[in-house]
Amino acid sequence: MSLSLNQWTTRQWSLPEAVDGCVRHGLEAIGLWREKVAETGLAESVKLVRAAGLRVSSLCRGGFLTTGDPTAYAQALEDNRRAIDEAAELEAGCLVLVVGGLPGVKPGEALPASGFTRDLAGARERVAEALSELAPYAGERGVKLALEPLHPIYCPDRAVLSTLGQALELSLPYPEEQVGVVVDTFHVWWDPRLFEDVARAGNRIASYQVCDYLHPLPEDILLGRGMMGDGVIDFRPITRAVQAAGYAGDVEVEIFNADIWAADADEVVATMKTRYEEVVLP
């Protein structure tokens, strides 16, 4: 397995700067975000990555498929098809899907007084329905969709998939080259079935993302992802389990953290490389 820089870890860098940073620090892969690709332009992003000789370990992100509004649902499907097309152009290892929370609950915002639903089962059914439309489209373009379960604290507004087992069950009706799962340590470290489900996932593991779970979490819980070794996660057993399941892809460091974004990005990458060796690898 090789180390990959997820672009959001060094959010302060533009895509060209991140590509250059990867090259300077001897990294072979980068995880891209659609927002950064759009800033640079898809064609130019493809050119830069290929000229640098980098693999695109993942493209973040598609998803947000739980809306019950027919017009919004059709728009979400179309945006996901565009994301699949972008992933194909970039030859990304996978397109990460953050499936969305309860309909009407907006990410990071207060619960509205009305206009939202508590129908969690229905929201999960809509994800399954959307997947039945998107998986064949992705398969035709050689793109693997990667369902990412998020920690239960994000279930109301970001992802109604909270465990690796849930994500895996949704993937099973499709060929493993079409639909897989993401193992993100921040989101799944707590799960008592984690090791069983990692073994069961096998070749469906499309991405292995690492960062630490900080305690206490900051007021903005989205920014509670820390540098490996700064929180509570024991990484080595998880890494061993992922390897034993047959995963030999890139290990992507994805950190959302205000202090890290304010730091010198080169120092962040240097620390990332050291902690990967000291904390993540068995």
Side-chain angles (χ1 to χ4, degrees):
M1 297 193 294
S2 297
L3 182 60
S4 174
L5 171 69
N6 183 288
Q7 205 174 1
W8 227 241
T9 299
T10 53
R11 187 180 177 182
Q12 57 271 54
W13 271 346
S14 66
L15 189 147
E17 290 171 334
V19 167
D20 178 66
C22 285
V23 172
R24 287 187 289 102
H25 286 275
L27 302 180
E28 299 177 356
I30 186 170
L32 297 179
W33 277 68
R34 294 180 69 201
E35 293 91 330
K36 296 287 191 179
V37 170
E39 288 174 5
T40 301
L42 179 58
E44 182 63 18
S45 298
V46 170
K47 180 180 176 182
L48 286 169
V49 170
R50 290 182 182 167
L54 296 176
R55 294 185 301 277
V56 177
S57 51
S58 73
L59 178 65
C60 292
R61 61 193 176 189
F64 291 93
L65 299 160
T66 55
T67 178
D69 178 80
T71 300
Y73 180 70
Q75 292 171 342
L77 287 178
E78 184 57 32
D79 182 63
N80 276 269
R81 292 187 188 99
R82 285 195 297 270
I84 290 168
D85 292 340
E86 292 164 13
E89 286 292 318
L90 290 160
E91 299 180 355
C94 63
L95 173 65
V96 174
L97 298 185
V98 175
V99 297
L102 293 173
V105 181
K106 296 182 178 180
E109 296 186 11
L111 197 65
S114 62
F116 76 97
T117 176
R118 294 180 172 88
D119 184 9
L120 179 58
R124 287 172 176 155
E125 289 173 4
R126 277 186 287 279
V127 175
E129 177 186 343
L131 202 58
S132 71
E133 298 196 41
L134 295 173
Y137 186 88
E140 291 169 0
R141 287 151 183 81
V143 172
K144 188 168 187 173
L145 304 178
L147 296 166
E148 181 170 19
L150 267 58
H151 193 285
I153 55 177
Y154 302 112
C155 187
D157 62 344
R158 296 182 188 275
V160 294
L161 297 182
S162 300
T163 68
L164 184 61
Q166 287 176 316
L168 183 58
E169 288 301 317
L170 273 183
S171 76
L172 291 179
Y174 306 98
E176 62 185 27
E177 63 269 15
Q178 283 187 13
V179 184
V181 296
V182 179
V183 177
D184 183 319
T185 56
F186 178 88
H187 294 304
V188 302
W189 70 274
W190 59 274
D191 186 352
R193 291 178 56 92
L194 174 60
F195 297 102
E196 176 184 340
D197 286 333
V198 165
R200 194 161 61 99
N203 290 336
R204 287 192 185 269
I205 300 175
S207 177
Y208 180 36
Q209 296 182 333
V210 298
C211 75
D212 222 326
Y213 188 99
L214 299 180
H215 181 78
L217 290 172
E219 183 176 354
D220 184 348
I221 58 174
L222 187 64
L223 305 185
R225 301 172 69 100
M227 185 65 71
M228 300 81 71
D230 288 350
V232 299
I233 297 176
D234 186 3
F235 290 93
R236 291 191 179 98
I238 303 175
T239 301
R240 283 194 293 267
V242 169
Q243 288 178 316
Y247 183 77
D250 297 305
V251 182
E252 200 173 278
V253 176
E254 183 186 56
I255 301 175
F256 296 13
N257 185 292
D259 291 335
I260 285 177
W261 290 340
D264 179 84
D266 280 301
E267 293 180 4
V268 170
V269 175
T271 301
M272 179 187 86
K273 291 174 62 180
T274 300
R275 298 290 182 87
Y276 173 70
E277 296 283 346
E278 293 178 349
V279 178
V280 177
L281 291 181

